[in-house]
Amino acid sequence: MDDLAAMLELCCRTRELQASDLGFDLEFRPHPSAGAIHSVHTLVQREIDEDWMYYDAQAHQLVSLPGTSAVANVARNAADELVPATNASLIALVAEPDKAAAKYKSPGSLIWRDAGVLLGYFSICAEALALSFCPLGITGQPMLGRDLDEQGRLCGVGMALLGRTHLG
Ligand SMILES: Cc1cc2nc3c(=O)[nH]c(=O)nc-3n(C[C@H](O)[C@H](O)[C@H](O)COP(=O)(O)O)c2cc1C
C-alpha cells in the first residue's frame, strides 16, 4: 500500500486547481494533460476479490467503489491471461471523454495521448521506486466502460500491473 501511495503521489496527486468555465476545475498534476483537464482516471484493485478503488487525486485518497469486486476480478483474469501476476496491484485507466469534449471537438486522440503519458509516468516512477510496472496490451474496453457506468460515459484506455521487485 505504501508503494502504491508513493506512486500515486509522485505521478498523479493534484498540486493546484484553477477555476474554469468548463464545469469543472482545471488541475495541475505531475503529468501533463491536454488542457489541464485530466479526463483519465486511475482505478486500482490491490488484491483479487477486492473492489475497484478510485484514486481521488485532489484528496490523495483511494476511494472504494462498493460492489465492484466481481467486475474487477473479470479485469484481473483478463490481465492474468497476458501476464500472470497474482500478487500485483491491477491498475485500470478509465477515461471520461465528456471532460475533454467540454473543450475539444475531437478529443479522442488527446485522451489516448493523456493515457500514454500517464503510463509513461507510472513506468518511470516505478523505476525510481524499484517497483515492477507492466503496461498491458489490452485497454479494458469494453468491459471497464460497460461495468463501471451503464450510461456509457466511461471508457477503458489502459491496464497495467504494479508489483514489488518481481511480478507474481
Ligand atoms: C496530449 C497533450 C496535448 C497537449 N497539447 C497542448 C497544446 O496544444 N498547447 C499547449 O500549450 N499545451 C499542451 N499540452 C500541455 C498542457 O496544456 C499542460 O500539461 C497543462 O496545461 C498543465 O500544465 P503543466 O503541465 O505545465 O503543469 C498538452 C498536453 C498533453 C498531454
Side-chain angles (χ1 to χ4, degrees), residues 13-149:
R13 184 174 185 170
T14 301
R15 293 336 196 226
E16 206 180 312
L17 294 173
Q18 190 180 101
S20 80
D21 56 9
L22 299 177
F24 48 82
D25 289 337
L26 303 183
E27 293 188 47
F28 296 88
R29 301 185 189 176
H31 66 91
S33 163
I37 287 174
H38 291 281
S39 307
V40 177
H41 305 289
T42 298
L43 268 58
V44 181
Q45 188 201 40
R46 290 177 306 176
E47 290 177 17
I48 194 160
D49 295 332
E50 288 191 359
D51 285 329
W52 279 122
M53 300 185 94
Y54 162 77
Y55 179 62
D56 179 340
Q58 294 183 23
H60 184 52
Q61 272 178 359
L62 282 169
V63 181
S64 186
L65 302 179
T68 58
S69 61
V71 295
N73 281 349
V74 171
R76 183 174 282 272
N77 288 338
D80 263 353
E81 283 182 23
L82 298 173
V83 181
T86 321
N87 296 324
S89 290
L90 177 66
I91 295 177
L93 303 186
V94 177
E96 190 181 343
D98 286 350
K99 278 192 88 179
K103 177 169 180 183
Y104 300 111
K105 270 194 188 147
S106 303
S109 107
L110 295 170
I111 291 170
W112 283 116
R113 282 180 278 164
D114 269 14
V117 164
L118 186 47
L119 286 172
Y121 268 63
F122 279 141
S123 297
I124 201 164
C125 287
E127 197 68 30
L129 294 168
L131 300 173
S132 291
F133 179 77
C134 183
L136 302 174
I138 51 174
T139 60
Q141 265 310 90
M143 71 186 149
L144 290 175
R146 180 193 61 214
D147 293 343
L148 292 166
D149 179 39

